[in-house]
Amino acid sequence: MKKNKSVLLSAPYILWMVIFTLIPLCVVLYYALTDVETGAFSVKNMENLVLYLPAFWRSILYSLVSALICLVIGYPVAYYMAHCSPTAQKFLYMLVMLPMCMSFLLRTLAWVGLLQDTGIINNFLDMLGLPRLSLIRTPGAVILGMVYNYLPYMILPLYSIIVKIDHRLIEAAEDLGCNGVQVFARVVLPLSMPGILSGITMVFVPAVSTFYISNKLGSTDIVLIGDIIERQFKQGDNANMGAALSLLLMILVFVCTGIMNRFGGDEEGGVPV
Amino acid sequence: MKKYICLLLTVLLLAGLCGCDTADDRVTINVYNWGQYISEGDDGCIDVIALFEERYPNIRVNYVTFDSNETMYTKMAGGGITVDVIIPSDYMVGRLIEENMLLELDYNNIPNAQYIDSRFRNTDYDPENKYSIPYTWGTVGIIYNSNYVDEEDVTGWELLWNEKYADKILMFDNSRDAFGIAQNLLGYSINSTDPEELKACAEKLAEQRPVVQQYIMDQVFDLMENEEAWIAPYYAGDYLTMAEENEALCFYLPEDQGFNLFIDAMCIPTCAENKEAAETFINFLCEPEIAGGNMDWVCYGTPLTAAKEFMDPEVVNDPVSYPSEETLDRGTGYISLPRSTTRLMEELFMQVRNGIPVHLP
């Protein structure tokens, strides 16, 4: 009886999933496997994917680097937040969330205004009599854009895990003669592993498929897979190739997160709680 | 208490949603046009849409913009939208006619069509003027910033490939205009259907990619005015708009190479719901006084000689807007290409943009 009720309650969401996730996925698959001209079954799109592999690797590389930088920047912030007074925690939490209240496109455009050759930073340097720098349209600018936009997705899961770490475990470690570094490396870090993994996933997944950041902050040679997919649909009038690319991207994301989760599972198993 | 406030706000929100349609019995027409392509009351110019709604209080205009013919086409071909008036370019009008996506115009509702100059009637893309009425015309040339670009480098389309100005060059983000430039540079016809010629153009465009700062359409205004970029191919009318903001900008039409001479025309697509209101709108835009006031801001060429007397004489006498007859003779119009050629061109352009090796599919 109770089981029936829970099925009934989850029905709306399951229905939603079927209509808006499962069926569209089938449509993507159908498009990927048909020819753009004739609509007949064809593996041509799949074969052509090989040509786009460099863009895939580039996207994965850029988003992994961004995720790692987010971790390096985000971990100390999350750690500090978790050890503040409850009022300060609330305030800091809000500060981290605040940029997310503004449109992602607008925030990226703001970086264009800052970084471009005639932008705020360069005009300021010029005013001081310093030489102008080429900041925009470099790999660094793209990674900066990704880190800036996705940093909150790293900090928040880290914070929510670190704040729950039982302080008595740290005290116990100290009592048993661990120094600060050892406490961190042997107790705090292993315990915050689930947060680190979900943070990396939360940054990596949107970054790998992003299409606006690289377009605005990157050069014409830094073409990421998200840009390509967007262009196939919007400009190229070739939804079939776009579908094939999306499919491959989805599989790659699944594989990447799968690897991370497995690695995470082992770690978690090794932590005695 | 909080709960009740929430409830009250929700109810108000829903009431607002219901209220929209009932309070308004006006007919709405959806107009789909290029960006920055109608006078909206800035810089002391007329506000075309406001004037229209004032004269025809029972028609409301919902104005939406696109940034290239291809984007517009993709959206229209995708279906599921209602658009009453579109203003695509010549070759796209031709393509839409071929694909039966346009409705025949009823000239009884567009008496002002009589003012259209004979030069702009019976065009290649719409020989019997059944489906379209010209809105503007113009040329595609090179806009450059004379503070940074040496005059001696300004010799023709090859300027857009000049490594000296790497990262300061902009390029069209639509296949037809980008290929048109490569074709003019290589001396091919801009209406070529030869796959080998198109491939050679794509290779030329791929060669250009490293020096291109960005592929753009309407962003050209900001980038050129602020001197973030120094060289860009674009439409002559838009050059005049930019030159008002930055006096260092110059316009150049290659002297011994071809260039594109285009016409943008008003049409009613098959997905229109209010054909008569759409025709009223087109008729309004052909009224000499309105067209003149509109072109004062848009700065493109008007196909209505009668409109010129209502325009700023400075614009009418500007050789960039209205080049001499012999200059115009060097220009060529795009015609609608076979579907397979358009598809190939888009495919090749995607290869250039996506940085994958150029190859014929």
Side-chain angles (χ1 to χ4, degrees), chain A residues 63-146:
Chain A
S63 35
L64 273 182
V65 170
S66 307
L68 291 177
I69 296 177
C70 279
L71 178 64
V72 171
I73 300 175
Y75 195 93
V77 177
Y79 190 86
Y80 174 73
M81 262 171 79
H83 291 85
C84 284
S85 71
T87 332
Q89 277 185 28
K90 266 188 197 155
F91 178 70
L92 289 172
Y93 194 88
M94 199 194 69
L95 276 189
V96 172
M97 292 282 286
L98 200 59
M100 288 160 80
C101 301
M102 208 185 294
S103 161
F104 154 79
L105 303 180
L106 210 63
R107 281 181 284 140
T108 310
L109 265 185
W111 273 111
V112 174
L114 280 168
L115 297 180
Q116 65 183 357
D117 296 348
T118 51
I120 295 171
I121 294 176
N122 272 317
N123 283 345
F124 183 69
L125 288 177
D126 206 42
M127 217 171 67
L128 297 179
L130 295 166
R132 285 171 182 266
L133 302 168
S134 26
L135 301 166
I136 201 169
R137 297 183 287 273
T138 55
V142 177
I143 289 178
L144 173 75
M146 287 182 175

XYZ file of all heavy atoms in Angstrom, chain A residues 63-146:
644
model
N 38.126 22.220 -19.614
C 37.215 22.154 -18.478
C 37.849 21.423 -17.304
O 37.556 21.744 -16.148
C 35.873 21.544 -18.866
O 36.052 20.559 -19.819
N 38.755 20.466 -17.581
C 39.438 19.811 -16.461
C 40.360 20.794 -15.750
O 40.376 20.872 -14.516
C 40.262 18.618 -16.960
C 39.527 17.288 -17.063
C 40.464 16.195 -17.527
C 38.900 16.913 -15.725
N 41.099 21.572 -16.551
C 41.990 22.571 -15.951
C 41.156 23.545 -15.116
O 41.503 23.867 -13.972
C 42.784 23.315 -17.055
C 43.509 24.515 -16.473
C 43.767 22.375 -17.719
N 40.016 23.986 -15.671
C 39.165 24.908 -14.921
C 38.685 24.283 -13.627
O 38.666 24.926 -12.575
C 37.936 25.299 -15.746
O 38.324 25.777 -16.977
N 38.284 23.004 -13.704
C 37.773 22.339 -12.504
C 38.861 22.270 -11.435
O 38.591 22.502 -10.248
C 37.274 20.941 -12.851
N 40.104 21.985 -11.860
C 41.185 21.893 -10.881
C 41.488 23.258 -10.264
O 41.683 23.370 -9.054
C 42.446 21.301 -11.534
C 42.298 19.816 -11.893
C 43.539 19.299 -12.596
C 42.004 18.995 -10.644
N 41.491 24.299 -11.124
C 41.736 25.642 -10.583
C 40.614 26.016 -9.608
O 40.870 26.559 -8.532
C 41.852 26.671 -11.721
C 43.074 26.354 -12.581
C 41.953 28.096 -11.158
C 43.253 27.249 -13.773
N 39.387 25.684 -9.971
C 38.252 25.954 -9.079
C 38.465 25.263 -7.734
O 38.170 25.824 -6.681
C 36.949 25.437 -9.690
S 36.257 26.540 -10.905
N 38.992 24.028 -7.789
C 39.212 23.284 -6.547
C 40.255 23.986 -5.686
O 40.049 24.188 -4.489
C 39.657 21.854 -6.888
C 39.974 20.962 -5.700
C 38.727 20.734 -4.865
C 40.543 19.631 -6.156
N 41.355 24.388 -6.336
C 42.449 25.022 -5.590
C 41.973 26.338 -4.965
O 42.296 26.652 -3.819
C 43.669 25.248 -6.519
C 44.726 26.088 -5.833
C 44.243 23.906 -6.945
N 41.179 27.089 -5.732
C 40.688 28.359 -5.191
C 39.545 28.113 -4.210
O 39.447 28.753 -3.165
C 40.177 29.285 -6.328
C 41.305 29.587 -7.309
C 39.596 30.581 -5.759
C 40.848 30.386 -8.516
N 38.685 27.168 -4.569
C 37.436 26.985 -3.818
C 37.618 26.301 -2.475
O 36.917 26.628 -1.517
N 38.575 25.368 -2.403
C 38.695 24.595 -1.159
C 38.988 25.466 0.064
O 38.259 25.393 1.053
C 39.736 23.479 -1.311
C 39.628 22.456 -0.213
C 38.858 21.328 -0.392
C 40.244 22.667 1.018
C 38.698 20.403 0.624
C 40.093 21.751 2.049
C 39.319 20.621 1.839
O 39.154 19.719 2.849
N 40.013 26.332 -0.022
C 40.278 27.178 1.149
C 39.079 28.060 1.513
O 38.793 28.271 2.690
C 41.457 28.049 0.710
C 42.074 27.333 -0.425
C 40.985 26.577 -1.088
N 38.374 28.547 0.496
C 37.203 29.390 0.770
C 36.155 28.586 1.522
O 35.615 29.032 2.537
C 36.617 29.937 -0.557
C 35.364 30.755 -0.287
C 37.647 30.758 -1.305
N 35.872 27.368 1.007
C 34.854 26.530 1.626
C 35.271 26.173 3.058
O 34.455 26.185 3.985
C 34.657 25.266 0.803
N 36.564 25.895 3.221
C 37.078 25.515 4.535
C 36.926 26.670 5.526
O 36.438 26.504 6.639
C 38.553 25.117 4.403
C 39.112 24.487 5.656
C 38.968 23.122 5.873
C 39.784 25.254 6.605
C 39.463 22.523 7.016
C 40.288 24.666 7.767
C 40.122 23.310 7.954
O 40.604 22.725 9.088
N 37.284 27.844 5.053
C 37.171 29.034 5.897
C 35.714 29.294 6.266
O 35.381 29.533 7.428
C 37.762 30.234 5.147
C 37.563 31.546 5.869
C 38.311 31.843 7.010
C 36.624 32.464 5.431
C 38.127 33.029 7.682
C 36.425 33.653 6.095
C 37.190 33.937 7.225
O 36.998 35.099 7.897
N 34.839 29.212 5.237
C 33.410 29.430 5.466
C 32.870 28.495 6.537
O 32.129 28.900 7.430
C 32.636 29.167 4.169
C 32.292 30.388 3.382
S 31.619 29.893 1.786
C 29.963 29.457 2.239
N 33.271 27.213 6.424
C 32.735 26.197 7.326
C 33.173 26.441 8.766
O 32.554 25.939 9.694
C 33.181 24.813 6.860
N 34.251 27.198 8.952
C 34.748 27.433 10.303
C 34.415 28.815 10.833
O 34.939 29.234 11.858
C 36.255 27.154 10.367
C 36.560 25.704 10.210
N 36.687 25.105 8.968
C 36.701 24.710 11.120
C 36.920 23.820 9.133
N 36.927 23.546 10.437
N 33.550 29.549 10.130
C 33.107 30.855 10.621
C 31.919 30.690 11.557
O 31.333 29.616 11.644
C 32.682 31.735 9.455
S 34.064 32.393 8.552
N 31.551 31.799 12.221
C 30.351 31.768 13.063
C 29.134 31.600 12.160
O 29.182 31.968 10.988
C 30.242 33.068 13.836
O 29.903 34.100 12.929
N 28.044 31.037 12.689
C 26.864 30.786 11.844
C 26.393 32.023 11.070
O 26.029 31.907 9.902
C 25.809 30.345 12.853
C 26.588 29.762 13.970
C 27.870 30.534 14.044
N 26.428 33.197 11.691
C 25.986 34.414 10.995
C 26.922 34.708 9.822
O 26.474 34.978 8.707
C 26.009 35.648 11.929
O 25.816 35.182 13.254
C 24.983 36.661 11.513
N 28.218 34.622 10.088
C 29.188 34.878 9.022
C 29.026 33.858 7.909
O 29.143 34.183 6.728
C 30.599 34.827 9.586
N 28.723 32.615 8.309
C 28.529 31.573 7.295
C 27.392 31.943 6.357
O 27.504 31.821 5.141
C 28.201 30.242 7.965
C 29.434 29.509 8.425
C 29.100 28.143 8.980
O 28.111 27.522 8.605
N 29.922 27.660 9.887
N 26.295 32.392 6.938
C 25.135 32.759 6.114
C 25.498 33.874 5.151
O 25.155 33.858 3.975
C 23.982 33.218 7.016
C 23.023 32.104 7.340
C 21.819 32.638 8.069
C 21.073 31.522 8.757
N 20.305 31.991 9.898
N 26.222 34.842 5.699
C 26.607 35.998 4.884
C 27.524 35.581 3.730
O 27.308 35.946 2.578
C 27.298 37.028 5.789
C 27.773 38.241 5.045
C 26.854 39.159 4.532
C 29.133 38.447 4.828
C 27.293 40.262 3.834
C 29.570 39.550 4.128
C 28.648 40.465 3.638
N 28.523 34.743 4.058
C 29.463 34.302 3.021
C 28.762 33.448 1.972
O 29.027 33.555 0.775
C 30.617 33.525 3.661
C 31.585 34.377 4.480
C 32.567 33.496 5.240
C 32.344 35.332 3.575
N 27.849 32.596 2.460
C 27.081 31.747 1.565
C 26.350 32.613 0.535
O 26.350 32.359 -0.656
C 26.082 30.941 2.386
C 25.450 29.786 1.661
C 26.056 28.537 1.651
C 24.239 29.939 1.001
C 25.481 27.468 0.988
C 23.657 28.871 0.335
C 24.288 27.638 0.344
O 23.714 26.586 -0.322
N 25.760 33.696 1.055
C 25.022 34.602 0.182
C 25.970 35.268 -0.826
O 25.652 35.404 -1.998
C 24.338 35.665 1.020
C 23.220 36.358 0.316
S 22.779 37.837 1.215
C 24.203 38.852 0.941
N 27.167 35.639 -0.341
C 28.138 36.277 -1.236
C 28.536 35.357 -2.394
O 28.685 35.788 -3.525
C 29.393 36.679 -0.459
C 29.359 37.999 0.277
C 30.750 38.322 0.794
C 28.870 39.119 -0.620
N 28.698 34.059 -2.049
C 29.073 33.103 -3.089
C 27.942 32.969 -4.104
O 28.164 32.869 -5.303
C 29.420 31.732 -2.469
C 29.627 30.683 -3.541
C 30.664 31.849 -1.613
N 26.715 32.977 -3.593
C 25.553 32.797 -4.465
C 25.268 34.041 -5.311
O 24.684 33.946 -6.383
C 24.303 32.514 -3.612
C 24.328 31.198 -2.910
S 23.921 29.886 -4.056
C 22.165 30.145 -4.238
N 25.656 35.179 -4.785
C 25.232 36.452 -5.375
C 25.479 36.572 -6.888
O 24.569 36.938 -7.630
C 25.897 37.605 -4.627
C 25.229 38.966 -4.793
C 23.794 38.916 -4.308
C 26.006 40.034 -4.046
N 26.690 36.250 -7.374
C 26.911 36.401 -8.825
C 25.956 35.554 -9.651
O 25.635 35.899 -10.781
C 28.353 35.924 -9.028
C 28.957 35.807 -7.699
C 27.881 35.771 -6.690
N 25.491 34.448 -9.063
C 24.614 33.566 -9.826
C 23.230 34.172 -10.037
O 22.439 33.654 -10.823
C 24.487 32.217 -9.115
C 25.754 31.404 -9.227
S 25.860 30.146 -7.979
C 24.822 28.895 -8.657
N 22.959 35.249 -9.323
C 21.660 35.906 -9.501
C 21.643 36.723 -10.793
O 20.595 37.185 -11.224
C 21.345 36.833 -8.341
S 21.310 35.961 -6.792
N 22.820 36.935 -11.376
C 22.847 37.744 -12.586
C 23.095 36.821 -13.779
O 23.723 35.781 -13.634
C 23.964 38.769 -12.473
C 23.677 40.013 -13.270
S 25.075 41.068 -13.202
C 25.093 41.503 -11.483
N 22.593 37.224 -14.927
C 22.694 36.360 -16.096
C 24.147 36.006 -16.403
O 25.033 36.852 -16.398
C 22.071 37.033 -17.299
O 22.537 36.416 -18.477
N 24.323 34.737 -16.702
C 25.620 34.191 -17.064
C 26.194 34.908 -18.297
O 27.381 35.204 -18.373
C 25.382 32.699 -17.287
C 26.317 32.014 -18.201
C 27.574 31.648 -17.758
C 25.932 31.705 -19.493
C 28.434 30.982 -18.598
C 26.795 31.035 -20.334
C 28.046 30.677 -19.881
N 25.319 35.237 -19.247
C 25.779 35.905 -20.463
C 26.322 37.285 -20.144
O 27.349 37.719 -20.655
C 24.634 36.027 -21.467
C 23.956 34.726 -21.879
C 22.844 34.989 -22.871
C 24.959 33.775 -22.484
N 25.607 37.964 -19.254
C 25.992 39.321 -18.886
C 27.348 39.329 -18.182
O 28.200 40.173 -18.440
C 24.912 39.887 -17.956
C 24.715 41.375 -18.017
C 24.255 41.760 -19.408
C 23.691 41.812 -16.994
N 27.528 38.340 -17.300
C 28.787 38.290 -16.553
C 29.964 38.010 -17.488
O 31.042 38.554 -17.315
C 28.695 37.206 -15.476
C 27.916 37.682 -14.264
C 27.861 36.609 -13.210
N 26.902 35.578 -13.565
C 27.097 34.285 -13.366
N 28.202 33.862 -12.831
N 26.167 33.420 -13.702
N 29.720 37.165 -18.498
C 30.796 36.885 -19.451
C 31.092 38.123 -20.290
O 32.248 38.443 -20.555
C 30.400 35.693 -20.343
O 29.962 34.633 -19.501
C 31.560 35.224 -21.184
N 30.039 38.808 -20.690
C 30.227 40.037 -21.471
C 30.999 41.078 -20.668
O 31.796 41.834 -21.219
C 28.878 40.622 -21.871
C 28.355 40.235 -23.246
C 27.077 40.973 -23.541
C 29.392 40.543 -24.320
N 30.768 41.094 -19.354
C 31.491 42.038 -18.509
C 32.989 41.757 -18.573
O 33.801 42.686 -18.598
C 30.988 41.942 -17.077
N 33.334 40.466 -18.628
C 34.767 40.121 -18.749
C 35.330 40.613 -20.077
O 36.485 41.021 -20.153
C 34.985 38.616 -18.595
C 35.137 38.212 -17.170
C 34.271 37.483 -16.425
C 36.222 38.558 -16.292
N 34.736 37.339 -15.144
C 35.932 37.990 -15.034
C 37.398 39.297 -16.448
C 36.778 38.134 -13.936
C 38.245 39.433 -15.359
C 37.932 38.856 -14.117
N 34.505 40.541 -21.129
C 34.963 41.064 -22.419
C 35.307 42.545 -22.261
O 36.368 42.999 -22.692
C 33.880 40.863 -23.514
C 34.300 41.538 -24.808
C 33.629 39.389 -23.744
N 34.421 43.272 -21.600
C 34.645 44.698 -21.383
C 35.909 44.971 -20.585
O 36.595 45.968 -20.806
N 36.214 44.072 -19.650
C 37.423 44.256 -18.836
C 38.681 43.909 -19.619
O 39.673 44.632 -19.579
C 37.352 43.347 -17.609
C 36.501 43.820 -16.446
C 36.300 42.684 -15.452
C 37.184 44.986 -15.749
N 38.633 42.789 -20.320
C 39.867 42.223 -20.876
C 40.241 42.717 -22.256
O 41.394 42.610 -22.651
C 39.750 40.693 -20.934
C 39.597 39.949 -19.615
C 39.511 38.460 -19.877
C 40.777 40.225 -18.696
N 39.273 43.227 -23.019
C 39.601 43.481 -24.419
C 40.675 44.568 -24.580
O 40.994 45.294 -23.639
C 38.351 43.792 -25.237
C 37.656 45.069 -24.848
C 36.384 45.276 -25.650
O 36.057 44.503 -26.532
N 35.667 46.333 -25.340
N 41.248 44.634 -25.792
C 42.394 45.520 -26.034
C 42.068 46.975 -25.711
O 42.940 47.743 -25.323
C 42.836 45.410 -27.500
C 43.345 44.014 -27.813
O 43.555 43.249 -26.849
O 43.523 43.693 -28.989
N 40.803 47.348 -25.908
C 40.406 48.710 -25.573
C 39.549 48.687 -24.309
O 38.718 49.540 -24.095
C 39.594 49.327 -26.723
O 38.549 48.408 -27.061
C 40.448 49.581 -27.932
N 39.746 47.638 -23.497
C 38.913 47.442 -22.317
C 39.406 48.217 -21.105
O 40.382 48.968 -21.179
N 38.730 48.011 -19.987
C 38.995 48.786 -18.776
C 40.418 48.565 -18.268
O 41.137 49.515 -17.961
C 37.951 48.425 -17.697
C 36.567 48.868 -18.178
C 38.300 49.070 -16.361
C 35.427 48.400 -17.321
N 40.850 47.288 -18.213
C 42.180 47.000 -17.672
C 43.263 47.654 -18.536
O 44.158 48.340 -18.030
C 42.411 45.473 -17.584
C 41.444 44.884 -16.545
C 43.859 45.158 -17.230
C 41.512 43.383 -16.429
N 43.160 47.468 -19.844
C 44.172 48.033 -20.735
C 44.159 49.558 -20.740
O 45.211 50.191 -20.818
C 43.998 47.482 -22.146
C 44.775 46.189 -22.326
O 45.915 46.085 -21.878
N 44.150 45.215 -22.931
N 42.982 50.151 -20.657
C 42.917 51.613 -20.599
C 43.560 52.140 -19.318
O 44.211 53.177 -19.313
C 41.466 52.092 -20.682
C 40.950 52.031 -22.102
O 41.735 51.912 -23.043
N 39.651 52.111 -22.263
N 43.370 51.366 -18.242
C 43.961 51.759 -16.960
C 45.485 51.685 -17.035
O 46.194 52.616 -16.628
C 43.413 50.833 -15.864
C 43.901 51.192 -14.489
C 43.474 52.368 -13.882
C 44.776 50.362 -13.809
C 43.927 52.705 -12.613
C 45.233 50.695 -12.542
C 44.798 51.870 -11.948
N 45.990 50.584 -17.604
C 47.447 50.425 -17.767
C 47.996 51.572 -18.603
O 49.049 52.150 -18.302
C 47.755 49.098 -18.452
C 47.553 47.836 -17.624
C 47.836 46.606 -18.460
C 48.460 47.842 -16.399
N 47.248 51.882 -19.660
C 47.665 52.939 -20.565
C 47.764 54.269 -19.822
O 48.692 55.048 -20.011
C 46.633 53.043 -21.693
C 47.251 53.606 -22.946
O 48.374 53.193 -23.267
O 46.610 54.468 -23.575
N 46.792 54.495 -18.936
C 46.745 55.738 -18.175
C 47.972 55.866 -17.271
O 48.496 56.946 -17.068
C 45.480 55.738 -17.325
C 44.804 57.067 -17.186
S 43.214 56.818 -16.384
C 43.721 56.312 -14.757
N 48.428 54.711 -16.749
C 49.605 54.717 -15.878
C 50.905 54.750 -16.676
O 51.989 54.718 -16.107
C 49.602 53.464 -14.994
C 48.441 53.316 -14.011
C 48.586 52.015 -13.243
C 48.385 54.491 -13.050
N 50.773 54.753 -18.012
C 51.964 54.765 -18.855
C 52.583 53.398 -19.032
O 53.713 53.273 -19.490
N 51.852 52.342 -18.658
C 52.367 50.978 -18.833
C 51.926 50.436 -20.186
O 50.931 50.891 -20.738
C 51.825 50.082 -17.710
C 52.311 50.443 -16.304
C 51.465 49.744 -15.258
C 53.775 50.065 -16.146
N 52.672 49.472 -20.727
C 52.259 48.917 -22.029
C 50.971 48.109 -21.916
O 50.701 47.516 -20.867
C 53.439 48.014 -22.412
C 54.105 47.689 -21.136
C 53.889 48.852 -20.210
N 50.212 48.098 -23.001
C 48.974 47.324 -23.028
C 49.279 45.832 -23.110
O 50.317 45.443 -23.643
C 48.137 47.726 -24.247
C 47.469 49.069 -24.082
C 46.831 49.542 -25.355
N 46.239 50.854 -25.154
C 44.964 51.046 -24.822
N 44.154 50.023 -24.685
N 44.498 52.265 -24.627
N 48.389 45.010 -22.566
C 48.591 43.565 -22.598
C 47.532 42.937 -23.491
O 46.416 43.434 -23.560
C 48.425 42.989 -21.182
C 49.333 43.551 -20.104
C 48.846 43.095 -18.739
C 50.764 43.096 -20.334
N 47.900 41.838 -24.168
C 46.818 41.142 -24.879
C 46.265 40.070 -23.954
O 46.898 39.049 -23.716
C 47.260 40.558 -26.210
O 48.615 40.296 -26.205
N 45.114 40.366 -23.390
C 44.516 39.491 -22.395
C 43.431 38.641 -23.006
O 43.311 37.449 -22.742
C 43.906 40.341 -21.272
C 44.875 41.253 -20.529
C 44.116 42.258 -19.694
C 45.795 40.423 -19.664
N 42.614 39.266 -23.834
C 41.471 38.555 -24.379
C 41.927 37.714 -25.562
O 42.998 37.944 -26.115
C 40.365 39.557 -24.761
C 39.028 38.852 -24.827
C 40.696 40.291 -26.039
C 37.870 39.784 -24.923
N 41.085 36.749 -25.929
C 41.348 35.857 -27.062
C 42.608 35.021 -26.838
O 43.417 34.831 -27.728
C 41.395 36.636 -28.383
C 40.053 37.304 -28.703
C 40.041 38.011 -30.015
N 40.806 39.246 -29.995
C 40.323 40.417 -29.627
N 39.071 40.508 -29.227
N 41.063 41.483 -29.651
N 42.774 34.576 -25.601
C 43.875 33.677 -25.255
C 43.277 32.483 -24.507
O 42.160 32.605 -23.978
C 44.879 34.366 -24.316
O 44.143 34.836 -23.177
C 45.573 35.545 -24.964
N 43.988 31.351 -24.455
C 43.463 30.219 -23.672
C 43.206 30.627 -22.227
O 42.225 30.209 -21.613
C 44.576 29.181 -23.758
C 45.315 29.513 -25.001
C 45.235 31.007 -25.148
N 44.090 31.461 -21.682
C 43.933 31.899 -20.297
C 42.614 32.603 -20.062
O 41.959 32.396 -19.038
N 42.200 33.423 -21.024
C 40.943 34.162 -20.874
C 39.762 33.200 -20.833
O 38.818 33.387 -20.056
C 40.779 35.162 -22.014
N 39.817 32.148 -21.658
C 38.715 31.181 -21.680
C 38.634 30.468 -20.332
O 37.554 30.315 -19.749
C 38.903 30.159 -22.818
C 37.806 29.113 -22.789
C 38.922 30.859 -24.160
N 39.810 30.059 -19.825
C 39.819 29.349 -18.543
C 39.369 30.290 -17.425
O 38.590 29.902 -16.549
C 41.207 28.737 -18.284
C 41.386 27.578 -19.264
C 41.343 28.256 -16.854
C 42.697 26.885 -19.207
N 39.799 31.529 -17.490
C 39.343 32.509 -16.504
C 37.818 32.611 -16.521
O 37.171 32.590 -15.471
C 39.953 33.881 -16.814
C 39.429 35.023 -15.956
C 40.037 34.947 -14.562
C 39.729 36.369 -16.582
N 37.266 32.689 -17.702
C 35.803 32.777 -17.834
C 35.122 31.578 -17.225
O 34.111 31.707 -16.524
N 35.672 30.400 -17.474
C 35.064 29.182 -16.924
C 35.181 29.171 -15.399
O 34.215 28.885 -14.697
C 35.765 27.944 -17.490
C 35.439 27.669 -18.939
S 36.285 26.159 -19.452
C 35.643 25.974 -21.105
